[in-house]
Amino acid sequence: MSNNLKYGTIGSPEALELADKYGDHNYLPLPVVIAKGEGVFMWDPEGNRYYDFLSAHSTLNQGHCHPKIIKALCDQAQILTLTTRAVMDNKLGEYEKFITEYFGYEMVMPMNSGAEGMEAAMKIVRKWAYNVKGVEDDKAIIIFTENNFHGRSIALVSGSSNPHYYKGYGPLLPGIAKVPFNDSNALKDFLVENGKNVAAFFVEPIQGEAGVFVPDDGYLKSCFDLCKEHNVLFVADEIQSGLARTGKLLGCDHDNVRPDVLVLGKSLSGGVLPVSAVLADREIILQIEPGQHGSTFAGFPLAGVVVKAALEVVRDENLAENALELGEYFRKEIRSIKHPMLTLVRGRGLLNAIVVKPKDGLEAWDVCLMLKDKGLICKPTHRHTIRMAPPLIITKEQMVECVHIIKDVFNAL
Ligand SMILES: *Cc1c(COP(=O)(O)O)cnc(C)c1O
């Protein structure tokens, strides 16, 4: 065991070796080991400090180990953590009132991971299609967009257009159609043709995993209006774009759309627990009756208390305003870098991506390694796109320093 460690009991090489030998190989992480997180910073066991420009894919909007959220977690953990919904606990209703008022919906269905939230939304809209819209049994269609990312369950990858995500997992689930993203005419054509069987249209207000694609202004509104015209539910997957990430509370707020079904996850717990939520009005949520859906941890008291604290942080610390302002600053500064490898910066609020053109055998992955060596951690989402998404609590001074790091790296290339 090395004795020059600052955090934890094993060093980076040992940590990497153990995980490689004993753990799954589903991921290709950056070669860095994190031992501690606080606010916008992470440290490796050896004590090197990094700015976190990943935020666990927008799961740490409130920053690492936010004291208010951690306090809520620790306090509740000593009183009651789990009952299952077989009985009522004294925290669930309070949480449900809080979150529905916060987002302006009549009801919530608490779930755990994002994928589970999306699965629940698929079940809800199918029920709605049969019970309310009157679609013939087993004929309901859900429309996804091309290049979506809604999660990794079999149902969700059945609607994916990325072979990495669905190949080898067949047979896939029928009843999912795909239309191009940012093309409301394509949605219109599909609905004109098949609208009577369509339950819902699922969309990310910004496609995050795909590489931070921001649709044109008015796209979400046009889609919403088309859905209304054809009696189709508009379902927003705001798992990544929600909770102030894009400079407004929700990505849909940029187009003044109120989704019929809103799915949240990731930062809903400030990176502390896997928690998701499906919000909608009574007529929609209540299509699922007792015994027809559930999960052991759905709505557990520890989660309710943590989410309430995490949402209070989003509001009380003005994270949306901060993301809006520093996002503008970030894109302006990055656009001022003139370098042949840096071809594009796009995004909204603090959900941004840069597109890196390979040169002399160097590509986005190498840029990320250089950024890491200078103390800033981010990762390519596809081969040439680097997503940059720091915690939303980042200050102007910290952002100025991060922009310097990025400029230094491109100067050195
Ligand atoms: C991360 C993500 C999901 C899936 O969430 P998990 O908690 O990983 O299951 C779904 N949709 C979007 C837009 C996401 O970014």
Side-chain angles (χ1 to χ4, degrees), residues 48-241:
N48 298 302
R49 194 192 77 176
Y50 305 95
Y51 276 103
D52 183 359
F53 261 50
L54 279 171
S55 302
H57 308 315
S58 301
T59 308
L60 291 157
N61 288 359
Q62 301 90 337
H64 287 267
C65 297
H66 192 290
K68 184 169 172 183
I69 303 171
I70 297 302
K71 181 171 190 314
L73 175 81
C74 294
D75 288 352
Q76 183 63 31
Q78 299 182 55
I79 302 170
L80 180 72
T81 58
L82 177 71
T83 60
T84 80
R85 302 278 295 274
V87 295
M88 262 301 160
D89 68 69
N90 66 342
K91 291 292 169 186
L92 182 62
E94 200 182 327
Y95 161 60
E96 291 173 328
K97 177 172 191 285
F98 179 85
I99 191 172
T100 50
E101 286 176 359
Y102 194 100
F103 291 101
Y105 285 88
E106 288 174 5
M107 286 194 156
V108 62
M109 181 184 288
M111 296 305 299
N112 303 297
S113 68
E116 245 190 321
M118 294 307 298
E119 284 265 345
M122 289 182 80
K123 283 188 173 178
I124 291 170
V125 302
R126 280 185 166 184
K127 279 270 192 187
W128 176 89
Y130 299 124
N131 295 349
V132 179
K133 180 163 170 169
V135 173
E136 203 184 308
D137 276 358
D138 292 342
K139 290 278 190 291
I141 300 169
I142 296 175
I143 307 175
F144 282 17
T145 59
E146 301 279 356
N147 302 318
N148 69 74
F149 185 84
H150 296 305
R152 302 287 201 155
S153 69
I154 292 277
L156 295 166
V157 300
S158 295
S160 172
S161 31
N162 186 337
H164 270 311
Y165 299 167
Y166 67 76
K167 238 182 109 196
Y169 294 132
L172 300 175
L173 186 76
I176 303 174
K178 269 170 282 175
V179 298
F181 182 67
N182 198 22
D183 182 351
S184 54
N185 284 325
L187 177 64
K188 183 176 177 179
D189 292 345
F190 189 89
L191 288 174
V192 166
E193 191 96 341
N194 310 283
K196 84 177 193 349
N197 284 334
V198 176
F201 171 61
F202 280 42
V203 69
E204 298 154 84
I206 291 180
Q207 286 190 329
E209 298 302 306
V212 187
F213 287 102
V214 183
D216 297 334
D217 289 342
Y219 166 69
L220 297 170
K221 182 70 169 73
S222 305
C223 292
F224 181 81
D225 291 344
L226 285 164
C227 286
K228 293 304 102 182
E229 211 176 290
H230 292 270
N231 195 22
V232 162
L233 297 175
F234 181 100
V235 180
D237 176 351
E238 295 253 19
I239 292 167
Q240 187 162 157
S241 58

Side-chain angles (χ1 to χ4, degrees), residues 95 99 108-112 117 262-265 268 275-279:
Y95 161 60
I99 191 172
V108 62
M109 181 184 288
M111 296 305 299
N112 303 297
L262 170 66
V263 186
L264 299 169
L268 198 53
V275 187
S276 59
V278 185
L279 290 137

